[in-house]
Amino acid sequence: MASKTGSKTGTAKTLFRMLGPGLVTGAADDDPSGIATYSQGGAQFGYSLGWTMFLTTPFMIAIQLVSARIGATTGQGLTANLSKAMPRFLLNGLVGLLLIANTLNIAADIAAMGDALRLVIGGPELVYIALFGIGCLTAEILIPYHAYSRYLKTLTLVLFAYVATAFSIHIPWGHVAVATLLPRLSWDRDYMLMLVAIFGTTISPYMFFWQASLEAEGRKLRSKAKDAAAAAALPNRLAQKDSFRIAVDTATGMVLSNVVGFFIIVTTAATLHSHGVTQIGTAAQAAEALRPLAGPFAFLLFSLGIIGTGLLAVPVLAGSAGYAVSESFGWEGSLELPARSAPGFYLVVTAATLAGLGAALTPLDPIRMLFWSAVVNGVVAVPLMAAMMVVVASSKIMGKFAASRTLTISGWCATALMAVVVAAMLVTSVGG
């Protein structure tokens, strides 16, 4: 019996070690901004948007596999690789938009965390906001990522709070199934804006940069343990050895992300929408609205989930901006390096976090920040995804680890899907 228990424990530890960049990336996708977007979708349109979580899952997995494969094989982040597939001025412009969108996301996330803690324990919201912002920044600067990542992986468990919330209230699962399996599409402007916001939240550019950079970081860490002769052969051996790990890690992270997103939409549709509450300003407002409708337990789970996912997402947002900008300028950048060895990288991380903190402390409308951040992400994602597909299919860049036909088709389908959604939003906006 002991041996069986030991075997199961060993298997669980092995599986946990396989999970890393993909799991953290997927979990960070359900940040307070994402929670607010999904909550607004459920409150405004009921169960009719649940299908988006299932449609986007395979495409989300495909495009994140592309980014992970690029980073693991080349040992470089996305910016360095995308410069080989698009004009430098265009890439720099997209990186600039990424920095703006990430800063807005950080602002909305920190504000939601402070508001959620105020709802749970009372006290000064602005003080909580400042503490969350400074605490996240301090941890990123002082703790090397190989140690920090263990904390982030453990923190992903907080996402199950949203699954528990759904099962703590009454939900008509028959209606949910019909709305999910037989969706009714609408060309209404508000519907299309919400659709592109959800897609922009689910398939976000910062996720591409983050996962690619962390896979490149992992390769560098492993190379330090090799002698010079072995290091020369590292790219080929690494890609072969890590192919299965990357696939499991990425699929797990993206499936978890979208399952949680689905339950958030369902929960808010069953409570807020069914009681006529159709407008939500922030994730914390969604939690507060749940309290009289779904009870204190659902409210507590929802609120704690906001705080936990924010603690996970803010470092990811700031870190991905740091990687993208530092590579664009040719600076040394790594969360494994001390600040004195990568000043430009940590300057971007610090600036994005403090700018987000500053915006969170102002009376700016958080819902507008996070909503338009998601829309910008959706627009920026299309050219980035197209360039990523050019890179991953190039044998000149990727060698024998260029994408398979299946991954190539899936990746281009994901790119086309985002392009169609963004085009539909633009058409309906102009028409409106």
Side-chain angles (χ1 to χ4, degrees):
M1 186 72 172
S3 63
K4 289 183 178 179
T5 303
S7 176
K8 290 180 180 178
T9 302
T11 301
K13 288 182 178 178
T14 300
L15 288 174
F16 188 72
R17 281 196 297 267
M18 290 178 65
L19 302 177
L23 176 66
V24 173
T25 301
D29 195 35
D30 288 323
D31 65 334
S33 296
I35 293 166
T37 301
Y38 298 143
S39 297
Q40 178 57 37
Q44 189 171 0
F45 297 102
Y47 306 117
S48 64
L49 289 172
W51 61 272
T52 58
M53 296 294 96
F54 295 95
L55 175 64
T56 56
T57 298
F59 300 115
M60 195 176 172
I61 292 172
I63 204 66
Q64 289 303 132
L65 278 175
V66 167
S67 67
R69 194 181 189 96
I70 291 172
T73 302
T74 66
Q76 295 179 305
L78 272 190
T79 306
N81 283 290
L82 294 182
S83 64
K84 305 166 187 174
M86 66 167 54
R88 172 62 69 173
F89 77 90
L90 176 58
L91 178 57
N92 288 342
L94 293 175
V95 168
L97 288 175
L98 173 79
L99 179 60
I100 293 171
N102 282 16
T103 301
L104 291 174
N105 249 11
I106 290 171
D109 285 356
I110 294 176
M113 292 159 65
D115 199 9
L117 188 57
R118 177 190 63 79
L119 290 174
V120 173
I121 65 174
E125 178 184 345
L126 293 182
V127 172
Y128 298 151
I129 289 173
L131 290 175
F132 280 131
I134 294 171
C136 288
L137 178 60
T138 302
E140 267 200 298
I141 293 175
L142 297 183
I143 304 175
Y145 185 76
H146 71 270
Y148 195 48
S149 64
R150 291 194 290 270
Y151 150 76
L152 293 180
K153 283 203 292 184
T154 303
L155 200 56
T156 60
L157 296 173
V158 76
L159 292 178
F160 289 102
Y162 293 104
V163 180
T165 302
F167 286 102
S168 70
I169 62 176
H170 171 71
I171 292 178
W173 289 107
H175 293 166
V176 174
V178 171
T180 302
L181 298 176
L182 300 172
R184 295 182 179 179
L185 301 180
S186 170
W187 284 98
D188 175 75
R189 178 178 179 274
D190 289 340
Y191 185 91
M192 293 308 303
L193 281 173
M194 180 54 63
L195 195 62
V196 78
I198 288 178
F199 276 66
T201 297
T202 305
I203 303 177
S204 297
Y206 76 85
M207 297 166 62
F208 312 156
F209 287 91
W210 176 257
Q211 191 166 355
S213 293
L214 289 195
E215 290 294 348
E217 290 270 23
R219 186 183 133 177
K220 292 174 184 176
L221 286 175
R222 285 185 286 269
S223 70
K224 291 179 181 179
K226 309 287 182 179
D227 57 38
L234 185 65
N236 291 349
R237 293 211 320 275
L238 176 65
Q240 290 172 332
K241 178 182 177 183
D242 277 10
S243 180
F244 178 70
R245 176 193 62 78
I246 290 173
V248 171
D249 182 28
T250 302
T252 300
M254 300 312 119
V255 169
L256 173 63
S257 175
N258 279 16
V259 166
V260 169
F262 173 76
F263 277 107
I264 293 171
I265 290 174
V266 167
T267 298
T268 51
T271 52
L272 308 184
H273 181 79
S274 63
H275 287 82
V277 180
T278 59
Q279 294 297 322
I280 292 297
T282 66
Q285 285 183 20
E288 190 171 26
L290 278 175
R291 179 152 41 186
L293 301 175
F297 183 64
F299 157 76
L300 181 63
L301 286 175
F302 207 92
S303 299
L304 293 178
I306 292 168
I307 296 169
T309 57
L311 290 172
L312 186 148
V314 169
V316 172
L317 287 160
S320 65
Y323 281 117
V325 174
S326 60
E327 278 199 356
S328 181
F329 284 97
W331 300 336
E332 183 73 26
S334 172
L335 287 171
E336 287 294 331
L337 294 174
R340 64 179 179 276
S341 299
F345 172 81
Y346 282 102
L347 176 63
V348 176
V349 169
T350 301
T353 305
L354 291 183
L357 173 58
L361 291 171
T362 68
L364 292 174
D365 185 0
I367 188 63
R368 303 317 301 171
M369 287 192 293
L370 70 90
F371 187 86
W372 288 110
S373 172
V375 172
V376 169
N377 278 332
V379 174
V380 170
V382 177
L384 286 178
M385 291 166 72
M388 286 166 59
M389 293 311 303
V390 172
V391 169
V392 81
S394 170
S395 57
K396 182 178 179 180
I397 300 172
M398 301 291 292
K400 69 178 188 177
F401 299 106
S404 64
R405 178 175 296 181
T406 300
L407 182 58
T408 300
I409 292 173
S410 300
W412 277 114
C413 285
T415 305
L417 179 65
M418 284 299 295
V420 168
V421 171
V422 172
M425 178 207 59
L426 295 175
V427 170
T428 53
S429 296
V430 172

